[in-house]
Amino acid sequence: MTFEHLLRKNALLPEDKIAEAKHLEAAEGLRLDRAVVQLGLMTEREVLKIMAELLMLPLLDLSATEIPPDILQSLTTKVVFRKRIVPIAREGNTLRVATCDPFDLYAMDDVRMTTGLQIDTVLAIKDDIEKLIKTHYGLGGDTLDELAANDDEPSGPVSGGGEDLLELAQEASVIRLVNEIIVEAVHERASDIHIEPYEHQMAIRYRIDGILHEASVPPQMNRFQAAIISRIKILANLNIAERRIPQDGRIKFNVGGRQIDVRVSVIPMLFGEGVVMRLLDKANVLFTLPQLGMDQETYGRFRGLIERPHGIVLVTGPTGSGKTTTLYASLNEIVGPTLKVLTVEDPVEYHLQGVNQIPVDHKVGMTFEAGLRAILRHDPDVVMIGEIRDVETARAAIQASLTGHLVLSTLHTNDSASAATRLIDMGVEPFLIASSLAGAMAQRLVRKICSKCRVPYTPDHSKFPRDFSLEPGTQLYRGEGCDNCRKTGYRGRSGLYELLCIDEEIAQMIVDRESAPKIIQSGRRTGLRLLREDGWMKVRQGITSVDEVLTCTAL
């Protein structure tokens, strides 16, 4: 009985879909089972269930399988990585191994000859095997073994002159290892890669949904620390011989058809150079404002602000709270053939169609203020400034708004009302702020509960903070943890928003230099919803959890 026969016998696919898969099988030389998966007609797990029946092999869930460390050492790292075969148990002279390709008989013969044991094969999906390999054998384990085999200095991190490092950094193994580090980060949806040198090890951590997760790294990676960092510096067009001062650069990658821009920062530390790479995925920035987590009421009011012909609209919050993404989404809302839109950014993170973007370059005197003054001569309708950092930029932005331009920018404050007081502290005259500021929106990012493992539960009301209320008997949601969310219970992030629209009363309070709390009180009378209140609304909707709101907001 064949795979095709089982598909027909059990009516698992219609005849036209089987014919489509067979056409791909003939055209590209694929096996029928792989053609079915490639076309999206069945999942890999569904195909393996059929294979298990056909070959009378068990199908295991490796995510729930505990493997003793001594069993993992039964096979060499090279065999595990190249053949994607993992040893999971041993009984006497028989080694049980998991594979996602039961037809790779050469791999089984290789394992049999290498170990001298009888082989008992079980099936497992490829993703489970990949995760098991990364967890137990470390990132790039086979590449590191290859490097170690070619290394004549068996102890200590690889170092030496710039010429030696240049040669080593251009070796195929080092190139492959750095590529694996970046590709793994993209697959894990990481926003940043942290490469940190310590006395006896080199740590690699990925920031995923705002939280740092340590990657499993083989101990021998420390030996090739200098070569790895030199390879990254070559890619970013940095000086590999200079290890005394910070350096910044950029790399462009294509991963699975997606273009990834990588911003690289290298800083000398006690035990070597530390590297942080910020991954900018163009596919993940072109959101609409509602997709970012903005509810319809806030969206309607904010849309009214960004459609105004003039004035300043500020997005505020700490570093990493998604301010720039909100500005990009705002520009996407209003950009069109009838508007001239210019931006001044440091650096330009994403390229927007229909928007003229100017990078800041402090080396030649191209600051935010200089760029803003220059672009006003280009007759813009909308101007975006990456960040208001000083009084000169703030005054230039205000003058632009007073001369008939809409200005969008960001500011580092904790809440929306503090935007005006922050500008006053910078040295801007209050009457100028009152006459130009249209609105300020504070924001934070919270992790979203994973949709795959989200379950309802009845909460303990006694453990709620005093400002969070819930009807008795109402259920909330939490994530139990699954492969989709790396066992964290969270996947993806959503914004919390606090939008303050400036009316006549608030404008007068700004002129009178009233404090931020008093401005908030005035805003509350016209519908201002605080960040924390927006968070509680998203908790009730099952989007996020109480703990997440408590982590990123304050009373």
Side-chain angles (χ1 to χ4, degrees), residues 490-503:
Y490 299 97
R491 183 180 173 91
R493 289 193 286 178
S494 177
L496 304 184
Y497 299 96
E498 175 185 297
L499 178 59
L500 176 69
C501 296
I502 308 299
D503 56 19

Side-chain angles (χ1 to χ4, degrees), residues 222-370:
N222 185 52
R223 295 169 55 188
F224 305 98
Q225 170 188 315
I228 292 167
I229 292 171
S230 294
R231 175 60 190 167
I232 292 169
K233 290 165 85 171
I234 289 170
L235 289 171
N237 293 315
L238 303 179
N239 183 355
I240 68 167
E242 179 56 75
R243 301 174 212 160
R244 301 164 299 172
I245 60 173
Q247 297 186 70
D248 296 313
R250 301 192 79 157
I251 307 171
K252 286 191 176 180
F253 267 93
N254 280 308
V255 179
R258 294 154 57 190
Q259 187 173 337
I260 309 294
D261 282 346
V262 183
R263 278 165 43 192
V264 180
S265 175
V266 182
I267 297 179
M269 296 182 178
L270 184 60
F271 297 108
E273 291 176 290
V275 179
V276 173
M277 292 185 277
R278 166 66 58 90
L279 306 183
L280 305 172
D281 185 352
K282 293 185 177 180
N284 289 338
V285 71
L286 300 179
F287 293 107
T288 63
L289 291 168
Q291 285 173 335
L292 295 177
M294 198 176 288
D295 67 280
Q296 285 302 312
E297 180 187 349
T298 304
Y299 170 66
R301 295 170 66 204
F302 188 71
R303 177 81 195 224
L305 290 179
I306 61 177
E307 288 180 339
R308 292 176 56 151
H310 55 80
I312 296 179
V313 179
L314 296 175
V315 180
T316 77
T319 301
S321 59
K323 301 186 296 296
T324 302
T325 302
T326 297
L327 286 185
Y328 280 135
S330 303
L331 291 180
N332 280 327
E333 289 275 341
I334 60 177
V335 70
T338 61
L339 287 179
K340 172 86 168 185
V341 181
L342 289 110
T343 74
V344 187
E345 304 172 60
D346 183 20
V348 175
E349 293 191 0
Y350 299 98
H351 304 298
L352 297 177
Q353 186 66 33
V355 177
N356 300 273
Q357 296 171 271
I358 301 167
V360 165
D361 189 347
H362 293 283
K363 294 177 183 176
V364 296
M366 183 61 175
T367 62
F368 279 118
E369 180 198 7

Side-chain angles (χ1 to χ4, degrees), residues 48 51-62 75 83-91 93-112 115 117-125 129:
L48 283 177
M51 291 291 189
E53 179 184 344
L54 178 64
L55 301 171
M56 292 183 289
L57 294 174
L59 176 60
L60 293 188
D61 179 5
L62 290 186
L75 295 181
K83 305 297 184 182
R84 291 301 187 260
I85 295 175
V86 181
I88 58 174
R90 179 174 175 175
E91 292 182 11
N93 201 38
T94 301
L95 181 67
R96 172 170 278 203
V97 298
T99 180
C100 58
D101 185 4
F103 295 111
D104 191 352
L105 301 180
Y106 291 109
M108 294 305 166
D109 288 341
D110 194 3
V111 172
R112 192 175 292 108
T115 61
L117 301 173
Q118 295 298 314
I119 302 301
D120 178 24
T121 305
V122 300
L123 300 181
I125 66 170
I129 290 176

Side-chain angles (χ1 to χ4, degrees), residues 183-196:
V183 168
E184 174 70 6
V186 173
H187 288 164
E188 293 288 352
R189 303 177 300 105
S191 60
D192 301 86
I193 305 170
H194 292 246
I195 300 177
E196 302 163 332

Side-chain angles (χ1 to χ4, degrees), residues 2-13:
T2 64
F3 178 74
E4 181 182 346
H5 182 77
L6 277 177
L7 289 178
R8 289 196 167 98
K9 177 186 174 185
N10 299 321
L12 297 171
L13 283 178

